[in-house]
Amino acid sequence: MTRAHSIVPPAALALAALTLLPGMRVSPLEVSKCDPDNGGLVLPEGFCATVVASQLGPVRQLVVAPNGDLYAALSGKPGDNTGGVLAFRDKDGDGKPDERATFGPGGGNDVKLHNGYIYFALNDRVVRYRLDGKVLSPAGKEETVVSGLPRDGGHAAKSLAFGPGEVMYVNIGSKTNSCQKTDRLPASPGVDPCVELERRAGIWRFSADRPDQRLSEGKRFATGLRNAMALATQPGTGALFAAVHGRDQLSDNWGFSNEVNANNPAEELVRVEAGDDFGWPYCYYSNQYKQKVLSPEYGGDGQKLGRCNSAKDPVLAFPGHWAPMAVAFYQGNAFGPSYKDGLFVAFHGSWNRAPLPQEGYRVVFVPFANGKPAGQYSTFATDKSGPTSLRASGVAVAPDGSLYISADQNGKIWKVSKRG
């Protein structure tokens, strides 16, 4: 455990005081709340940021406890001493952690809080630890909730969300790109039916409170989701939302133009209900035609519908290959009424738009009304170092209404606040 304190020089306080109106007062914490350069982030006018921690390594998804403690999943190689859960506590309110702790095994991607436990999603299992709110490290021993989750090849990282009662949702990503007979081989046809769907490319439902479950004891809640990495349940409604990674290589494997390949398929934001089928690998959502179309592995040409009439559409479509990693509903008041009930989405960026320029690499905000997206999404955070610099991997809302952002290849966590 280490300690770090932010100290504001007296000269800086004096300079800040010169800009105050008569009768206004300022505390040292208010002046030091954000870094002078926002920690390298580019944010909307009126917002500022501070670097909570840096040089962390591959930090992934985040969660904030009711007392303000921040927990982050640190990805690492399974079975070694890297990775685990990072914990941070800011005791004096200056935005910098005064206490830190690390616990849990390596190889994880997501952390969530539920009924006094912190749940940690590793590639092959979900574990949990009892928290007492007094110390950062867990009060009890590690308990396995679900084990034996498939992790061989493809999308091994798991994500979590909690529904009503003791419902726990687990994303299990696909093993292949598009269920070809030979994965990613040009012109290799798709396996039909795609047997991967029996154990992967969907969301499974388990009990959150029953230890030592296996995959066979869970229920497949929804299917046809290549990799629903970003999961969250909507406050108030309990509805499950997911942001999904679309398939790759329409140009490399099937001769589509570079422009079509760069923008397709859409990265989908979906509302997930029991029994839903979103179409993978047979279908994908075309940003060009604004509908689900048949995949070339199954006879599609980029616009043919085929069997895709029954595949469920997204509630919002993003550009192709932005790679959504995490979502967080905003229930705070600090950012103002236009942000209330909306959704933040962390995008990691991808490689598959080449040879055209890469895109994504940002955090966006999606306004919501009446429980669904309303209006255009907007970019909320990028990195001033360049358009591909921010590899966002996590977002979480704090009790004070601020927003935490993590980025794995940057090795950083930021806290974003509203000025004033």
XYZ file of all heavy atoms in Angstrom, residues 239-330:
723
model
N -33.295 -2.789 -17.465
C -33.057 -3.321 -18.810
C -31.560 -3.501 -19.042
O -30.743 -2.688 -18.622
C -33.640 -2.381 -19.860
N -31.216 -4.586 -19.735
C -29.826 -4.882 -20.041
C -29.457 -4.272 -21.385
O -30.132 -4.500 -22.390
C -29.608 -6.395 -20.077
C -28.193 -6.874 -20.420
C -27.198 -6.451 -19.344
C -28.180 -8.395 -20.595
N -28.371 -3.495 -21.398
C -27.832 -2.920 -22.624
C -26.418 -3.445 -22.836
O -25.688 -3.719 -21.884
C -27.808 -1.394 -22.554
C -29.150 -0.745 -22.784
C -30.077 -0.665 -21.765
C -29.477 -0.220 -24.025
C -31.322 -0.074 -21.971
C -30.708 0.372 -24.249
C -31.636 0.449 -23.217
N -26.042 -3.569 -24.105
C -24.705 -4.029 -24.453
C -24.209 -3.279 -25.677
O -24.987 -2.940 -26.575
C -24.705 -5.530 -24.726
N -22.909 -3.017 -25.716
C -22.258 -2.504 -26.918
C -21.368 -3.622 -27.444
O -20.590 -4.215 -26.692
C -21.446 -1.250 -26.616
N -21.485 -3.905 -28.738
C -20.993 -5.151 -29.313
C -19.918 -4.896 -30.368
O -20.066 -4.008 -31.209
C -22.156 -5.940 -29.956
C -21.705 -7.340 -30.348
C -23.365 -6.001 -29.015
N -18.862 -5.702 -30.336
C -17.828 -5.675 -31.373
C -18.337 -6.417 -32.607
O -18.683 -7.600 -32.537
C -16.558 -6.376 -30.896
C -15.851 -5.668 -29.783
N -14.474 -5.688 -29.670
C -16.299 -4.925 -28.749
C -14.110 -4.989 -28.597
N -15.210 -4.529 -28.025
N -18.331 -5.745 -33.761
C -18.725 -6.389 -35.003
C -17.585 -7.176 -35.638
O -16.427 -7.087 -35.227
N -17.919 -7.931 -36.676
C -16.950 -8.805 -37.346
C -15.939 -7.972 -38.153
O -16.130 -6.787 -38.433
C -17.655 -9.839 -38.215
C -18.659 -9.329 -39.248
C -18.114 -8.973 -40.633
N -17.197 -9.883 -41.226
C -17.545 -10.973 -41.894
N -18.828 -11.290 -42.046
N -16.612 -11.739 -42.436
N -14.853 -8.648 -38.559
C -13.755 -8.025 -39.292
C -13.680 -8.549 -40.728
O -14.374 -9.484 -41.109
C -12.409 -8.333 -38.622
C -12.318 -7.826 -37.201
O -12.896 -6.756 -36.917
O -11.671 -8.495 -36.373
N -12.787 -7.921 -41.513
C -12.198 -8.456 -42.746
C -13.171 -8.699 -43.898
O -13.050 -9.672 -44.634
C -11.420 -9.743 -42.426
C -10.231 -9.463 -41.515
C -9.507 -10.715 -41.096
O -10.065 -11.555 -40.388
N -8.249 -10.848 -41.520
N -14.084 -7.775 -44.103
C -14.937 -7.864 -45.288
C -14.135 -7.641 -46.560
O -14.465 -8.195 -47.612
C -16.077 -6.841 -45.192
C -17.186 -7.163 -44.189
C -18.132 -5.986 -44.042
C -17.942 -8.420 -44.587
N -13.092 -6.826 -46.464
C -12.257 -6.607 -47.659
C -11.210 -7.694 -47.817
O -11.047 -8.270 -48.907
C -11.590 -5.235 -47.594
O -10.763 -5.126 -46.448
N -10.483 -8.028 -46.754
C -9.419 -9.025 -46.846
C -9.936 -10.385 -47.311
O -9.300 -11.068 -48.117
C -8.745 -9.212 -45.488
C -7.941 -8.004 -45.064
O -7.686 -7.133 -45.923
O -7.567 -7.932 -43.878
N -11.074 -10.789 -46.774
C -11.561 -12.146 -47.040
C -12.592 -12.249 -48.154
O -12.774 -13.333 -48.716
C -12.163 -12.731 -45.760
C -11.111 -13.047 -44.717
O -9.914 -13.041 -45.012
N -11.548 -13.315 -43.505
N -13.263 -11.123 -48.483
C -14.390 -11.228 -49.406
C -14.402 -10.176 -50.497
O -15.358 -10.081 -51.261
C -15.714 -11.200 -48.625
C -15.806 -12.371 -47.700
C -15.555 -12.389 -46.361
C -16.103 -13.718 -48.070
N -15.689 -13.659 -45.866
C -16.031 -14.505 -46.879
C -16.436 -14.350 -49.268
C -16.279 -15.877 -46.884
C -16.684 -15.713 -49.260
C -16.606 -16.465 -48.087
N -13.359 -9.340 -50.584
C -13.236 -8.422 -51.712
C -14.081 -7.173 -51.651
O -14.214 -6.461 -52.663
N -14.655 -6.854 -50.498
C -15.391 -5.599 -50.369
C -14.411 -4.430 -50.486
O -13.215 -4.571 -50.200
C -16.110 -5.541 -49.025
C -17.325 -6.418 -48.929
C -17.242 -7.796 -49.049
C -18.572 -5.860 -48.714
C -18.352 -8.612 -48.949
C -19.708 -6.657 -48.600
C -19.593 -8.035 -48.729
N -14.896 -3.256 -50.859
C -14.022 -2.096 -50.989
C -13.489 -1.675 -49.625
O -14.069 -1.995 -48.576
C -14.783 -0.923 -51.616
O -15.720 -0.383 -50.693
N -12.383 -0.949 -49.624
C -11.805 -0.468 -48.370
C -12.782 0.431 -47.620
O -12.821 0.417 -46.387
C -10.511 0.286 -48.649
C -9.407 -0.636 -49.141
O -9.361 -1.810 -48.808
N -8.506 -0.091 -49.960
N -13.566 1.213 -48.372
C -14.520 2.122 -47.739
C -15.640 1.351 -47.048
O -16.033 1.657 -45.912
C -15.102 3.094 -48.780
C -14.134 4.135 -49.297
C -13.100 3.568 -50.270
O -13.337 2.451 -50.817
O -12.068 4.222 -50.483
N -16.170 0.337 -47.730
C -17.223 -0.481 -47.128
C -16.675 -1.242 -45.926
O -17.319 -1.342 -44.876
C -17.810 -1.451 -48.179
C -18.712 -2.480 -47.510
C -18.590 -0.685 -49.233
N -15.475 -1.776 -46.055
C -14.859 -2.512 -44.956
C -14.644 -1.628 -43.738
O -14.849 -2.061 -42.592
C -13.524 -3.098 -45.411
C -12.765 -3.771 -44.283
O -13.070 -4.891 -43.901
N -11.773 -3.082 -43.739
N -14.213 -0.375 -43.954
C -13.910 0.514 -42.834
C -15.152 0.865 -42.027
O -15.086 1.026 -40.807
C -13.238 1.791 -43.335
N -16.289 0.965 -42.689
C -17.494 1.443 -42.011
C -18.477 0.338 -41.649
O -19.529 0.613 -41.079
C -18.194 2.491 -42.880
C -17.388 3.767 -42.980
O -17.014 4.337 -41.967
N -17.112 4.202 -44.203
N -18.129 -0.899 -41.970
C -19.047 -2.004 -41.718
C -18.319 -3.188 -41.091
O -17.155 -3.424 -41.391
C -19.705 -2.430 -43.030
C -20.652 -1.395 -43.553
O -21.750 -1.211 -43.047
N -20.224 -0.681 -44.592
N -19.028 -3.955 -40.285
C -20.377 -3.663 -39.828
C -20.382 -2.597 -38.742
O -19.333 -2.216 -38.230
C -20.847 -4.996 -39.259
C -19.599 -5.612 -38.740
C -18.518 -5.221 -39.714
N -21.547 -2.149 -38.375
C -21.667 -1.205 -37.276
C -21.239 -1.847 -35.964
O -21.382 -3.052 -35.770
C -23.109 -0.725 -37.160
N -20.697 -1.033 -35.080
C -20.590 -1.429 -33.677
C -21.954 -1.117 -33.065
O -22.387 0.043 -33.055
C -19.481 -0.652 -32.967
C -18.123 -0.720 -33.663
C -17.417 -2.055 -33.520
O -18.052 -3.092 -33.783
O -16.227 -2.052 -33.166
N -22.639 -2.125 -32.573
C -24.040 -1.985 -32.189
C -24.217 -1.728 -30.696
O -23.581 -2.380 -29.868
C -24.807 -3.254 -32.549
C -24.788 -3.607 -34.025
C -25.587 -4.863 -34.312
O -26.669 -5.037 -33.708
O -25.133 -5.679 -35.134
N -25.107 -0.788 -30.368
C -25.646 -0.669 -29.021
C -27.008 -1.332 -29.039
O -27.881 -0.953 -29.832
C -25.775 0.795 -28.600
C -26.389 1.028 -27.214
C -25.465 0.505 -26.109
C -26.690 2.507 -26.980
N -27.178 -2.350 -28.200
C -28.405 -3.145 -28.239
C -29.058 -3.189 -26.859
O -28.390 -3.122 -25.834
C -28.116 -4.586 -28.721
C -27.586 -4.576 -30.141
C -27.128 -5.301 -27.800
N -30.366 -3.275 -26.883
C -31.117 -3.598 -25.662
C -31.412 -5.092 -25.719
O -31.993 -5.581 -26.697
C -32.403 -2.793 -25.572
C -33.235 -3.180 -24.359
C -34.387 -2.256 -24.105
N -35.228 -2.758 -23.014
C -36.103 -2.040 -22.348
N -36.274 -0.759 -22.641
N -36.812 -2.582 -21.376
N -31.015 -5.802 -24.683
C -31.043 -7.259 -24.710
C -32.182 -7.774 -23.836
O -32.256 -7.466 -22.640
C -29.710 -7.853 -24.220
C -29.691 -9.356 -24.435
C -28.524 -7.193 -24.936
N -33.040 -8.590 -24.431
C -34.128 -9.230 -23.701
C -34.012 -10.743 -23.853
O -33.357 -11.242 -24.777
C -35.472 -8.735 -24.222
C -35.660 -7.238 -24.025
C -36.935 -6.718 -24.663
O -36.982 -6.674 -25.899
O -37.871 -6.369 -23.920
N -34.637 -11.459 -22.949
C -34.533 -12.916 -22.937
C -34.952 -13.506 -24.281
O -36.008 -13.170 -24.823
C -35.395 -13.496 -21.820
N -34.093 -14.376 -24.830
C -34.401 -15.061 -26.074
C -34.011 -14.317 -27.332
O -34.208 -14.834 -28.438
N -33.433 -13.128 -27.201
C -33.056 -12.350 -28.385
C -31.967 -13.048 -29.189
O -31.074 -13.701 -28.637
C -32.534 -10.967 -27.980
C -33.635 -9.979 -27.660
O -34.798 -10.257 -28.014
O -33.330 -8.926 -27.065
N -32.043 -12.852 -30.515
C -31.005 -13.324 -31.436
C -30.612 -12.141 -32.313
O -31.429 -11.627 -33.082
C -31.532 -14.475 -32.292
C -30.458 -15.084 -33.197
O -29.388 -14.464 -33.374
O -30.703 -16.173 -33.742
N -29.343 -11.725 -32.200
C -28.872 -10.562 -32.939
C -28.160 -10.928 -34.238
O -27.652 -10.046 -34.930
C -27.983 -9.712 -32.041
C -28.742 -9.056 -30.916
C -28.900 -9.699 -29.700
C -29.340 -7.821 -31.085
C -29.614 -9.117 -28.666
C -30.067 -7.227 -30.067
C -30.211 -7.872 -28.847
N -28.107 -12.212 -34.582
C -27.764 -12.596 -35.933
C -26.385 -13.132 -36.214
O -26.187 -13.811 -37.223
N -25.365 -12.825 -35.350
C -24.025 -13.338 -35.659
C -24.051 -14.856 -35.637
O -24.697 -15.450 -34.776
C -23.023 -12.826 -34.609
C -21.605 -13.247 -34.915
C -20.678 -12.541 -35.615
C -20.974 -14.477 -34.546
N -19.501 -13.263 -35.714
C -19.663 -14.459 -35.076
C -21.368 -15.616 -33.847
C -18.759 -15.507 -34.906
C -20.484 -16.671 -33.683
C -19.185 -16.616 -34.213
N -23.335 -15.535 -36.528
C -22.456 -15.023 -37.588
C -23.153 -14.853 -38.927
O -22.526 -14.424 -39.904
C -21.413 -16.133 -37.697
C -22.232 -17.384 -37.482
C -23.251 -17.016 -36.434
N -24.444 -15.184 -38.985
C -25.152 -15.200 -40.263
C -25.418 -13.789 -40.791
O -25.548 -13.594 -42.002
C -26.473 -15.946 -40.111
C -26.349 -17.266 -39.386
C -26.924 -17.458 -38.126
C -25.632 -18.323 -39.951
C -26.805 -18.669 -37.464
C -25.505 -19.539 -39.286
C -26.088 -19.696 -38.036
O -25.953 -20.900 -37.370
N -25.490 -12.814 -39.896
C -25.914 -11.467 -40.265
C -25.034 -10.420 -39.583
O -24.428 -10.691 -38.552
C -27.363 -11.216 -39.842
S -28.506 -12.560 -40.239
N -25.005 -9.242 -40.161
C -24.374 -8.092 -39.511
C -25.156 -6.836 -39.874
O -25.885 -6.813 -40.877
C -22.897 -7.954 -39.898
C -22.619 -7.634 -41.349
C -22.598 -6.315 -41.817
C -22.373 -8.654 -42.275
C -22.340 -6.019 -43.149
C -22.109 -8.374 -43.603
C -22.096 -7.050 -44.037
O -21.849 -6.761 -45.359
N -25.018 -5.801 -39.053
C -25.753 -4.554 -39.308
C -24.926 -3.667 -40.223
O -23.803 -3.285 -39.902
C -26.081 -3.830 -38.012
C -27.034 -2.666 -38.218
C -28.407 -2.882 -38.246
C -26.560 -1.370 -38.407
C -29.297 -1.831 -38.449
C -27.443 -0.315 -38.616
C -28.805 -0.552 -38.641
O -29.684 0.481 -38.856
N -25.505 -3.337 -41.388
C -24.828 -2.518 -42.382
C -25.077 -1.041 -42.112
O -26.234 -0.585 -42.101
C -25.331 -2.872 -43.779
O -24.887 -1.921 -44.725
N -23.991 -0.285 -41.907
C -24.128 1.167 -41.800
C -24.513 1.788 -43.131
O -25.046 2.889 -43.177
C -22.811 1.780 -41.313
C -22.717 1.830 -39.800
O -23.713 2.040 -39.115
N -21.524 1.621 -39.264
N -24.244 1.078 -44.212
C -24.563 1.571 -45.546
C -26.057 1.489 -45.822
O -26.672 2.434 -46.331
C -23.782 0.772 -46.579
C -23.930 1.241 -48.007
C -23.058 0.422 -48.955
O -22.403 -0.535 -48.550
N -23.042 0.808 -50.226
N -26.673 0.352 -45.455
C -28.082 0.129 -45.772
C -29.002 0.228 -44.557
O -30.220 0.070 -44.687
C -28.247 -1.238 -46.451
C -27.566 -1.287 -47.800
C -26.352 -1.946 -47.962
C -28.123 -0.649 -48.909
C -25.708 -1.987 -49.192
C -27.490 -0.676 -50.140
C -26.287 -1.337 -50.281
O -25.648 -1.372 -51.513
N -28.427 0.461 -43.377
C -29.221 0.679 -42.154
C -30.129 -0.504 -41.828
O -31.283 -0.346 -41.419
C -30.071 1.962 -42.253
C -29.328 3.183 -42.729
C -28.173 3.530 -41.811
C -27.448 4.798 -42.294
N -26.195 5.070 -41.535
N -29.594 -1.714 -41.975
C -30.360 -2.909 -41.651
C -29.407 -4.093 -41.546
O -28.244 -4.022 -41.973
C -31.428 -3.184 -42.698
C -30.883 -3.436 -44.086
C -31.985 -3.596 -45.125
O -33.164 -3.511 -44.805
N -31.605 -3.834 -46.367
N -29.921 -5.192 -40.978
C -29.143 -6.414 -40.922
C -29.108 -7.045 -42.325
O -30.155 -7.190 -42.977
C -29.763 -7.399 -39.918
C -29.598 -6.987 -38.441
C -28.214 -7.331 -37.923
C -27.955 -6.764 -36.531
N -28.571 -7.541 -35.459
N -27.890 -7.429 -42.750
C -27.720 -8.061 -44.054
C -26.984 -9.381 -43.872
O -26.333 -9.623 -42.854
C -26.951 -7.150 -45.038
C -27.723 -5.865 -45.293
C -25.550 -6.844 -44.520
N -27.070 -10.223 -44.882
C -26.496 -11.563 -44.830
C -24.975 -11.504 -44.973
O -24.439 -10.813 -45.847
C -27.095 -12.408 -45.952
C -26.831 -13.910 -45.929
C -27.464 -14.545 -44.696
C -27.373 -14.551 -47.216
N -24.275 -12.237 -44.140
C -22.817 -12.285 -44.185
C -22.335 -13.022 -45.421
O -22.979 -13.979 -45.874
C -22.271 -12.982 -42.932
O -22.610 -12.283 -41.770
N -21.185 -12.627 -45.978
C -20.687 -13.305 -47.183
C -20.355 -14.773 -46.949
O -20.426 -15.578 -47.888
C -19.441 -12.492 -47.556
C -19.051 -11.768 -46.312
C -20.324 -11.496 -45.589
N -20.018 -15.159 -45.730
C -19.773 -16.572 -45.421
C -21.007 -17.432 -45.653
O -20.903 -18.660 -45.811
C -19.316 -16.721 -43.973
C -17.939 -16.162 -43.675
C -17.921 -14.668 -43.424
O -18.997 -14.016 -43.513
O -16.836 -14.147 -43.147
N -22.184 -16.793 -45.690
C -23.443 -17.522 -45.839
C -24.202 -17.081 -47.093
O -25.418 -17.227 -47.165
C -24.289 -17.346 -44.574
C -23.582 -17.913 -43.363
C -22.736 -17.111 -42.589
C -23.701 -19.252 -43.038
C -22.046 -17.650 -41.505
C -23.013 -19.798 -41.958
C -22.184 -18.978 -41.198
O -21.493 -19.516 -40.126
N -23.417 -16.542 -48.070
C -24.011 -16.197 -49.360
C -24.375 -14.746 -49.536
O -24.986 -14.381 -50.554
N -24.042 -13.886 -48.597
C -24.388 -12.481 -48.704
C -23.462 -11.705 -49.626
O -22.330 -12.117 -49.885
N -23.963 -10.552 -50.092
C -23.184 -9.686 -50.980
C -23.071 -8.263 -50.467
O -22.691 -7.360 -51.190
C -23.805 -9.676 -52.378
C -25.256 -9.177 -52.376
O -25.757 -8.766 -51.296
O -25.893 -9.191 -53.445
N -23.406 -8.043 -49.186
C -23.345 -6.703 -48.616
C -24.677 -6.011 -48.527
O -24.807 -5.003 -47.817
N -25.700 -6.514 -49.262
C -27.021 -5.901 -49.175
C -28.165 -6.918 -49.139
O -29.281 -6.580 -48.768
C -27.239 -4.932 -50.337
C -27.070 -5.521 -51.711
C -27.239 -4.469 -52.791
O -28.198 -3.698 -52.787
N -26.297 -4.420 -53.726
N -27.896 -8.168 -49.502
C -28.924 -9.208 -49.469
C -29.362 -9.463 -48.026
O -28.546 -9.554 -47.110
C -28.375 -10.489 -50.086
C -29.389 -11.622 -50.221
C -28.710 -12.898 -50.706
C -28.087 -12.702 -52.073
N -27.489 -13.979 -52.577
N -30.675 -9.597 -47.815
C -31.209 -9.818 -46.466
C -31.178 -11.295 -46.080
O -30.791 -11.652 -44.961
C -32.639 -9.294 -46.370
C -32.838 -7.799 -46.582
C -34.305 -7.436 -46.399
C -31.975 -7.010 -45.621
N -31.607 -12.164 -46.978
C -31.620 -13.589 -46.679
C -32.372 -13.895 -45.392
O -33.491 -13.443 -45.161
N -31.731 -14.666 -44.500
C -32.345 -15.098 -43.249
C -32.330 -14.026 -42.155
O -32.707 -14.310 -41.017
C -31.631 -16.343 -42.728
C -30.182 -16.091 -42.347
C -29.492 -17.327 -41.768
N -29.013 -18.225 -42.798
C -28.303 -19.335 -42.557
N -28.007 -19.663 -41.315
N -27.899 -20.092 -43.538
N -31.907 -12.817 -42.482
C -31.649 -11.807 -41.455
C -32.858 -10.968 -41.072
O -32.751 -10.056 -40.232
C -30.500 -10.904 -41.898
S -28.956 -11.814 -42.152
N -34.013 -11.233 -41.684
C -35.207 -10.471 -41.319
C -35.561 -10.621 -39.852
O -36.133 -9.715 -39.242
C -36.399 -10.930 -42.174
C -36.363 -10.318 -43.568
O -35.942 -9.185 -43.733
N -36.782 -11.089 -44.564
N -35.223 -11.767 -39.259
C -35.615 -12.023 -37.875
C -34.554 -11.606 -36.856
O -34.810 -11.660 -35.650
C -35.920 -13.512 -37.693
O -34.775 -14.303 -38.002
N -33.367 -11.207 -37.309
C -32.320 -10.782 -36.376
C -32.676 -9.422 -35.791
O -33.118 -8.517 -36.505
C -30.974 -10.716 -37.082
N -32.461 -9.260 -34.496
C -32.856 -8.030 -33.812
C -31.890 -6.898 -34.156
O -30.667 -7.071 -34.148
C -32.900 -8.253 -32.308
C -33.481 -7.070 -31.528
C -33.664 -7.414 -30.059
C -34.270 -6.239 -29.296
N -34.500 -6.572 -27.858
N -32.421 -5.719 -34.418
C -31.623 -4.547 -34.762
C -31.094 -3.843 -33.514
O -31.666 -3.962 -32.424
C -32.461 -3.553 -35.561
C -32.658 -3.983 -37.003
O -31.826 -4.766 -37.506
O -33.651 -3.536 -37.624
N -30.038 -3.068 -33.670
C -29.551 -2.264 -32.548
C -30.457 -1.064 -32.294
O -31.242 -0.672 -33.167
C -28.170 -1.807 -33.040
C -28.306 -1.750 -34.527
C -29.205 -2.910 -34.880
N -30.330 -0.488 -31.104
C -31.025 0.766 -30.817
C -30.193 1.958 -31.270
O -30.699 3.074 -31.399
C -31.362 0.895 -29.314
C -32.349 -0.178 -28.899
C -30.107 0.839 -28.454
N -28.896 1.713 -31.536
C -28.013 2.757 -32.044
C -26.835 2.083 -32.733
O -26.313 1.082 -32.225
C -27.514 3.655 -30.903
C -26.657 4.866 -31.283
C -27.481 5.856 -32.113
C -26.123 5.559 -30.034
N -26.440 2.625 -33.886
C -25.315 2.064 -34.638
C -24.163 3.065 -34.658
O -24.359 4.237 -34.999
C -25.742 1.731 -36.056
N -22.968 2.603 -34.294
C -21.755 3.405 -34.348
C -20.938 3.017 -35.584
O -21.184 1.976 -36.200
C -20.908 3.172 -33.096
C -21.538 3.630 -31.820
C -22.113 2.709 -30.948
C -21.560 4.975 -31.477
C -22.687 3.121 -29.758
C -22.144 5.396 -30.290
C -22.704 4.480 -29.432
N -19.952 3.818 -35.959
C -19.076 3.435 -37.072
C -18.380 2.105 -36.820
O -18.217 1.667 -35.681
C -18.069 4.590 -37.134
C -18.796 5.754 -36.545
C -19.649 5.171 -35.462
N -17.943 1.471 -37.887
C -17.311 0.168 -37.782
C -15.950 0.214 -37.110
O -15.208 1.186 -37.234
N -15.654 -0.849 -36.367
C -14.323 -1.113 -35.817
C -13.857 -0.057 -34.812
O -12.661 0.184 -34.684
C -13.305 -1.252 -36.955
C -13.795 -2.127 -38.070
N -14.091 -3.466 -37.891
C -14.099 -1.848 -39.367
C -14.540 -3.966 -39.043
N -14.554 -3.006 -39.941
N -14.778 0.508 -34.063
C -14.394 1.411 -32.973
C -14.099 0.639 -31.690
O -13.475 1.161 -30.795
C -15.503 2.434 -32.722
C -15.466 3.605 -33.650
C -14.898 3.686 -34.883
C -16.055 4.886 -33.396
N -15.084 4.931 -35.429
C -15.795 5.688 -34.542
C -16.779 5.434 -32.344
C -16.225 7.020 -34.635
C -17.218 6.759 -32.436
C -16.931 7.544 -33.565
N -14.592 -0.576 -31.571
C -14.307 -1.476 -30.448
C -14.795 -0.938 -29.099
O -14.015 -0.478 -28.276
C -12.815 -1.804 -30.370
N -16.105 -1.018 -28.825
C -16.620 -0.588 -27.524
C -16.177 -1.533 -26.415
O -16.270 -2.749 -26.545
C -18.139 -0.627 -27.709
C -18.358 -1.638 -28.801
C -17.181 -1.518 -29.714
N -15.719 -0.958 -25.306
C -15.161 -1.753 -24.210
C -15.977 -1.685 -22.931
O -15.949 -2.613 -22.131
C -13.736 -1.284 -23.913
C -12.782 -1.428 -25.082
S -12.469 -3.135 -25.531
C -11.436 -3.647 -24.166
N -16.666 -0.567 -22.691
C -17.404 -0.400 -21.432
C -18.473 0.659 -21.621
O -18.319 1.577 -22.438
C -16.457 -0.015 -20.299
N -19.548 0.539 -20.848
C -20.621 1.527 -20.842
C -20.993 1.852 -19.400
O -20.829 1.020 -18.499
C -21.875 1.033 -21.604
C -21.591 0.923 -23.088
C -22.367 -0.295 -21.059
N -21.502 3.065 -19.190
C -21.940 3.471 -17.849
C -23.082 4.469 -17.990
O -22.943 5.493 -18.686
C -20.791 4.090 -17.063
N -24.210 4.177 -17.352
C -25.324 5.126 -17.307
C -25.000 6.241 -16.314
O -24.464 5.986 -15.236
C -26.618 4.422 -16.911
C -27.244 3.641 -18.030
C -27.042 2.265 -18.137
C -28.023 4.278 -18.986
C -27.607 1.544 -19.169
C -28.598 3.551 -20.028
C -28.388 2.184 -20.118
N -25.367 7.475 -16.699
C -25.066 8.623 -15.847
C -26.306 8.996 -15.031
O -27.309 9.469 -15.572
C -24.609 9.826 -16.674
C -24.113 10.947 -15.784
C -22.838 10.901 -15.239
C -24.930 12.025 -15.463
C -22.378 11.902 -14.399
C -24.476 13.035 -14.625
C -23.209 12.963 -14.096
O -22.752 13.958 -13.248
